[in-house]
Amino acid sequence: MNRTAGTGPCQALRAARILCAVTLPCEPYLLDPRPDGVHVLWHTEQPGRCQVALVGAGVPRMTEQEAYAAATGPADTGPGWRRFPAETRPLSRTREDAASSVPGRTYAGVTRRPVHRHLATVGGLPARRTPYRVVSVDDDGRAAVTAAYSLAPAVPPGRPARLLLTSDHQLMPMVPANLTKVGETAGAPLDGVLMAGDMVNVPDRASDWFDNARRPAFFAAFAGRVAGRWPGASILPHTPLYPAIGNHEVMGRWSATASLEEQFNDPQPGAWDVTTYEELFPVPRSDAGGPRWWSRTIGDVHLTTLFATSIWRTPKPTGRGKFQEAAGDVDRPERWGHGQFIFEPVARGSAQYRWLADELASPAARAARYRVVMFHHPSHGLGHHSAPPFTDPVPTIRPDGITYHYPAADDHILRDVEPLLDAAGVHLVLNGHSHVWNRFRNAAGVHWLETSNVGNSYGAYDVTSGRSRELPDGYVQQGDPGGLAPIVPTVAPLTGPDGAVLPYVASNDITVFTLLDTADGMVRSYRFDTVDPDAEVVLFDEFPLDGA
């Protein structure tokens, strides 16, 4: 059921007593700014009686009682403020289970956890930052009034933009330190966060997003609300998020008995789900792809975002995995994993491919100073997850077992997508997935960057590391499967035990983030050693999008 909190329901609360001890599962976050406005979203466990955003120069000076009165009073505007009611709807799949860690709660098994999304569409904004607060009144009349944050309309086309490039947070222990240093380094609010997928671990587990008690939940870290030395930073309450779908945004088959982790790990072709992702991030969207693939212009950047990822399967040579089904499951297709299959087709001829070709040729893309394409899978990369090729697994079914092969010549990204990007003059491709930092530049001048070393790293597989991927013969064991040479960081590369410079960062102690500033067209990557809390943030790589 959708409910719009308008003046009627809110006015009925004018005489209610305000209790300010109520807290929201997460602070508000921003999505999809428009020329004169932006979407403000927040969440509660009850639908509540009144959900509004207050916007205006006078909002920070309001006491909580004054903000409550403005939210529930008869007027839509007042001195220095305007009121924007939210549309309310429940998230349809959020649950917890015995593995969840929610403060003050335990779950014996998979249990529905009610979460309601409130979305206020703010309009009529001036071309500058404006303060806002959210007022949420629950079913019992108790109110939560947030701190004052800021919002702004979309950066006008052609204007410079400052963007954070990141991915693969997944509640990893270095994320709060990473975002704390982003906040300190970036200074003023950014114009956008480009998130190349894998925001949480199990997308239908509500506490992964909001309030995990053992590990840093996604929104908590991005709001500076993590307990401990590194709180994260208040970024998403001020800065719009531009997300892409990674494999950790996809749930598998629904089950009444399996744990959430087991359900997450049990998708089959045609039997998987991204509902929670789409409900949390209903915009940006396109007519063809909804929130799964879309494009937006952010100042002088044209961003195109794809749904290009596959289910992760173990490379181990026994059991259900990348390369085989479990022994004895030949006649039990309901137990098959179908190898590392691709969720949404992006190969030549698919709906997503056709949309991408049209979008890259659009006037908005052609007019932009910089063209950026973002998706999760890193076909160019030194990480473990850059191989096997990004293609549909080819099964071989015998009486004694089922095996899968991934033909190198059929990599959908290298064979089909990359030529489109080259021909369109794309400047930067942003990926994630392998939990490393590395970058490449192909013969057409397109930069490929993976900047996902914010949590557990699976290592880099390069001649300088001496490591080889754990893959069967016939697959690329070292280096980039796409054949590009990795670029050594230009400012302060790390070195190996022998003193050789390393073209990557793959560490469980050193975290990395990247900022794109189009005022000078530079992409700058920074690292921070979490083992030494007093260490300085180090600029270790920078390059111009217009050049090598």
Side-chain angles (χ1 to χ4, degrees), residues 337-397:
H338 299 273
Q340 193 157 287
F341 66 88
I342 295 169
F343 288 118
E344 188 79 25
V346 74
R348 187 186 304 113
S350 68
Q352 189 171 194
Y353 177 92
R354 293 193 302 270
W355 174 85
L356 173 62
D358 290 342
E359 185 57 37
L360 292 175
S362 69
R366 300 311 309 161
R369 180 180 179 187
Y370 298 113
R371 288 171 289 281
V372 176
V373 175
M374 174 172 67
F375 52 87
H376 189 60
H377 185 82
S379 280
H380 287 300
L382 299 179
H384 201 291
H385 297 345
S386 292
F390 188 76
T391 188
D392 297 314
V394 178
T396 299
I397 302 176

Side-chain angles (χ1 to χ4, degrees), residues 432-456:
H433 198 34
S434 282
H435 301 204
V436 299
W437 180 97
N438 51 206
R439 72 176 179 95
F440 306 84
R441 186 171 185 262
N442 69 12
V446 181
H447 299 276
W448 291 69
L449 173 69
E450 179 175 357
T451 179
S452 62
N453 200 118
V454 299
N456 63 317

Side-chain angles (χ1 to χ4, degrees), residues 97-118:
D97 65 5
S100 297
S101 179
V102 180
R105 306 183 197 182
T106 57
Y107 300 89
V110 176
T111 304
R112 181 83 173 90
R113 182 176 175 186
V115 177
H116 291 79
R117 185 197 76 199
H118 313 288

Side-chain angles (χ1 to χ4, degrees), residues 7 13 95 134-135 151 196 263 267 319 358:
T7 55
L13 295 170
R95 294 165 288 163
V134 161
V135 179
L151 46 71
Q263 293 178 48
D358 290 342

Side-chain angles (χ1 to χ4, degrees), residues 437-439 449 487-493 513-515 522-527 538-543:
W437 180 97
N438 51 206
R439 72 176 179 95
L449 173 69
I487 296 174
V488 173
T490 58
V491 181
F513 60 90
T514 300
L515 299 174
M522 297 296 291
V523 180
R524 296 180 174 92
S525 293
Y526 302 82
R527 55 180 164 86
V538 177
L539 169 66
F540 71 93
D541 181 68
E542 63 180 7
F543 65 94

Side-chain angles (χ1 to χ4, degrees), residues 346 348 353 356-357 360 380 411-426 429 442 444 446 448:
V346 74
R348 187 186 304 113
Y353 177 92
L356 173 62
L360 292 175
H380 287 300
D411 188 298
H412 295 176
I413 293 174
L414 298 179
R415 184 193 67 190
D416 300 336
V417 173
E418 186 172 15
L420 275 185
L421 309 184
D422 293 351
V426 167
V429 178
N442 69 12
V446 181
W448 291 69

